[in-house]
Amino acid sequence: MNHQTHNPLPSNIPPSRPQKSNDTEQFLDKNLPSEYKETPKSSDKKEQKRNIKKLWWLLPVFGLLFVLGGVTVIRLRDNDQPVTVTETVSLSVQVATATREPLRAWISSEGSVRAVDYQHLTFDTEGDVTYLANQDGRRLREGDRVTKGQLLARIDDRELTADVTQAQAAIAEARQNRAAATADVAQARAQVAQARSQVQEAQAQLQNAQAARRLAATSLERYRTLVEEGAVAEIEFDERQNTLEDAQAGVQSAQAGVQSAQQQVEAAQAQVQAAQQQVEAQTSAITTAEARLSQAEVALEGASIYAPFNGIIAYLNISEGEYFSPQIVTSQLGGDYQGILERIPMVIIDPSQYEVMVDLAGPTGEQVEAGQNAVIASETQVNTAATSQQTLITNARARGEVFAVNPAISPGGRAIEATIRLNPSTTETLRHGEQVLTWIAVSENPNAVTVPIDAIVRRDRIPYVFVVNEAENIVEQREVELGITGITQQGIITGVTPGELVVTEGHNRLVDGASVEVINQGR
């Protein structure tokens, strides 16, 4: 299109590039007060120049006016140029359809698989390994099944066996000594009884002697009267006096016999007490010998490893002729658990029941309760196959439920420990000690409106989705209220209805009302 070029400026606007010297002189000549202009009269030229310098500040002002005038001319010229119209380009996006379906909220954590029944088997004493069980004509090895009570290994126990024999002999000797002391007690008690019988006999003799003395004394007094009356001779009186003296001697002898019998009783009682002390001493010796025997038997038992239950040998780190010391294992306590497994003689497991121990971050672990469903999958399976919760459940290596949740938080990791007990029918591919990824269903909405997690956009921490208007091929930015979060799906409480298309890829460049082109056909 041809356009006629014309000058839109009024005729009285000066040119855009003025002549500096002539224009300035003309301007000053027109605008200076008459007192500053040159006159034919003679005056002081220096004073006139000084007055002119005072007005130099006006020059930048007039220069700015000239520049503004030039810009105005350019803009007026641009108004005559043709206007170019730019067409809006549609942005390519991928979409998905909002659906209504059951949705579970899952939390995941890595955990360690272990058999519910497992035991570390070790020797309690040091020595050379002298025996390792035979299994089908060969030495025992990892993976072999063993039965409860089966002898699996033994170290050199000759000294321990001798200690047991010595303790048993000490018990036998102490028991014999106690039997002898018991017999002494019985004999001493018999002597006590005999001595007491002798005391009774002596006391009876004393009573007889005392009665004879009283009779002799009475007879003496009667004969004393008869002698004084002259009825009998004095010789009869003397006989009665001798009889009294003999009776007195008999009393003294009987008293001595009673005292002697009582001393025999005391001596026999002392023998009983001594014999009883001997019995007690031998009983104590038996107890000591039995304790030594028990200690020796425990030490001897610690030199052998027996299967505590029916199971499978999971780890085997010893061989015949090898020297073992418990310090090899205790030196790893508090360190790497794998180091313990590589040094302990044996580990036996019962593969009929497995569980997984997981550590959950504090806020996450508070959502976990006993009885919640759980699935176990390797990390590779989750990354490649778990495109939905149904896929995760279907492809899970094992399934189970939360068995226990520790109410305490570990001080170091600030985590909550949970135990997932697995269904035995689903654990064929699991191994004791294996690291797995666990998923626990902490909540469920059976009638949730869901969109892919990738459809959620957060701007200023507010969740939005872009809903496609298929009739106009534009998007509407909507704020949404989020529900529970699944593995790949996000529950929506408000903001989206089932059947609407939401943008899942390409939304980072979108704004409300933007024109879009849907490039995925399957949706």
Side-chain angles (χ1 to χ4, degrees):
M1 179 184 296
N2 295 327
H3 298 277
Q4 183 177 0
T5 303
H6 62 279
N7 186 0
L9 297 177
S11 60
N12 58 352
I13 294 180
S16 60
R17 296 174 57 97
Q19 299 293 326
K20 294 182 179 180
S21 60
N22 294 335
D23 292 345
T24 303
E25 291 176 0
Q26 292 177 6
F27 173 80
L28 293 175
D29 186 56
K30 291 179 179 181
N31 294 283
L32 284 175
S34 60
E35 63 266 33
Y36 293 110
K37 295 181 181 179
E38 292 185 2
T39 60
K41 298 178 181 181
S42 61
S43 61
D44 191 354
K45 292 183 179 181
K46 292 183 178 179
E47 184 67 23
Q48 184 177 2
K49 290 181 180 179
R50 195 163 41 245
N51 291 333
I52 293 174
K53 288 182 179 179
K54 293 179 180 180
L55 300 176
W56 276 106
W57 62 271
L58 294 173
L59 293 180
V61 175
F62 289 113
L64 179 61
L65 292 175
F66 285 130
V67 171
L68 293 176
V71 171
T72 301
V73 170
I74 294 172
R75 288 185 176 180
L76 290 174
R77 289 178 179 177
D78 291 341
N79 288 337
D80 292 339
Q81 299 294 327
V83 178
T84 302
V85 178
T86 303
E87 296 183 0
T88 303
V89 178
S90 298
L91 299 175
S92 299
V93 295
Q94 294 189 15
V95 298
T97 303
T99 59
R100 187 179 296 277
E101 61 182 342
L103 182 63
R104 287 180 175 178
W106 299 80
I107 61 174
S108 64
S109 177
E110 289 188 352
S112 177
V113 178
R114 72 179 188 187
V116 174
D117 291 326
Y118 74 97
Q119 192 166 337
H120 298 148
L121 305 179
T122 185
F123 300 110
D124 296 331
T125 186
E126 60 184 359
D128 295 327
V129 178
T130 58
Y131 174 80
L132 194 61
N134 291 325
Q135 196 79 357
D136 299 330
R138 55 171 174 76
R139 297 298 183 192
L140 186 69
R141 61 191 180 191
E142 294 172 346
D144 285 343
R145 288 188 173 274
V146 295
T147 58
K148 181 178 180 180
Q150 179 181 349
L151 177 61
L152 304 179
R154 178 188 292 127
I155 63 174
D156 189 356
D157 60 355
R158 288 174 294 181
E159 291 185 3
L160 299 176
T161 302
D163 292 341
V164 171
T165 303
Q166 183 178 0
Q168 291 173 339
I171 291 174
E173 181 180 358
R175 286 175 177 172
Q176 290 177 354
N177 292 337
R178 185 177 65 176
T182 302
D184 291 342
V185 169
Q187 183 178 0
R189 286 176 177 173
Q191 291 175 355
V192 169
Q194 183 179 1
R196 286 175 177 173
S197 177
Q198 291 175 356
V199 168
Q200 292 176 354
E201 292 179 359
Q203 288 175 344
Q205 292 175 359
L206 175 61
Q207 291 175 356
N208 293 333
Q210 289 174 343
R213 185 182 63 179
R214 287 193 298 271
L215 180 61
T218 301
S219 178
L220 179 64
E221 291 300 324
R222 187 171 59 252
Y223 274 86
R224 186 188 302 276
T225 300
L226 292 174
V227 169
E228 290 177 355
E229 293 177 353
V232 295
E234 290 185 2
I235 190 171
E236 292 183 3
F237 175 78
D238 294 337
E239 291 176 356
R240 299 296 181 272
Q241 190 170 9
N242 291 335
T243 301
L244 178 61
E245 291 175 356
D246 291 340
Q248 182 67 29
V251 168
Q252 292 177 352
S253 176
Q255 289 177 341
V258 170
Q259 186 177 3
S260 176
Q262 288 177 341
Q263 290 176 350
Q264 290 179 359
V265 169
E266 292 175 356
Q269 288 176 337
Q271 291 178 355
V272 170
Q273 186 176 3
Q276 287 177 336
Q277 291 177 349
Q278 186 65 21
V279 169
E280 292 175 358
Q282 295 304 319
T283 300
S284 177
I286 291 173
T287 302
T288 302
E290 288 176 343
R292 291 177 179 174
L293 175 62
S294 178
Q295 184 178 4
E297 288 176 341
V298 169
L300 181 61
E301 184 179 349
S304 301
I305 294 178
Y306 295 88
F309 49 78
N310 296 336
I312 294 178
I313 301 299
Y315 295 89
L316 180 62
N317 300 309
I318 56 173
S319 58
E320 281 192 10
E322 179 182 350
Y323 181 82
F324 175 82
S325 172
Q327 189 177 1
I328 297 175
V329 178
T330 57
S331 63
Q332 289 296 316
L333 295 180
D336 182 17
Y337 179 63
Q338 185 61 34
I340 296 177
L341 293 179
E342 292 175 355
R343 288 169 174 80
I344 200 162
M346 293 185 194
V347 176
I348 182 174
I349 66 170
D350 180 0
S352 63
Q353 180 77 69
Y354 284 105
E355 61 188 9
V356 180
M357 307 300 297
V358 296
D359 288 331
L360 306 169
T364 302
E366 292 175 356
Q367 304 177 51
V368 178
E369 299 176 354
Q372 292 174 336
N373 292 327
V375 295
I376 311 301
S378 68
E379 195 158 351
T380 302
Q381 285 180 316
V382 173
N383 290 337
T384 59
T387 57
S388 68
Q389 66 178 17
Q390 186 59 41
T391 304
L392 175 65
I393 296 174
T394 302
N395 294 342
R397 295 180 61 192
R399 291 183 291 275
E401 64 179 25
V402 177
F403 178 74
V405 180
N406 192 332
I409 296 179
S410 61
R414 295 185 178 180
I416 296 176
E417 184 181 68
T419 303
I420 300 174
R421 188 67 58 85
L422 302 179
N423 187 336
S425 63
T426 65
T427 58
E428 295 180 357
T429 62
L430 292 181
R431 295 292 180 267
H432 180 87
E434 181 180 359
Q435 293 294 316
V436 295
L437 191 63
T438 65
W439 294 82
I440 303 173
V442 294
S443 61
E444 183 175 3
N445 185 347
N447 194 30
V449 177
T450 67
V451 299
I453 291 179
D454 293 339
I456 306 300
V457 180
R458 284 178 171 80
R459 295 183 177 177
D460 296 331
R461 298 184 179 180
I462 299 175
Y464 295 93
V465 296
F466 286 96
V467 180
V468 177
N469 184 332
E470 295 184 87
E472 300 180 10
N473 288 330
I474 60 174
V475 293
E476 176 188 354
Q477 180 177 333
R478 295 185 192 173
E479 182 178 346
V480 292
E481 182 181 357
L482 303 180
I484 63 176
T485 303
I487 298 174
T488 58
Q489 297 293 104
Q490 173 65 57
I492 303 295
I493 298 176
T494 59
V496 177
T497 58
E500 290 186 312
L501 297 181
V502 294
V503 176
T504 58
E505 290 189 19
H507 39 46
N508 291 334
R509 299 173 296 167
L510 297 181
V511 295
D512 188 33
S515 177
V516 295
E517 177 185 359
V518 177
I519 60 174
N520 60 321
Q521 299 298 324
R523 299 180 182 180

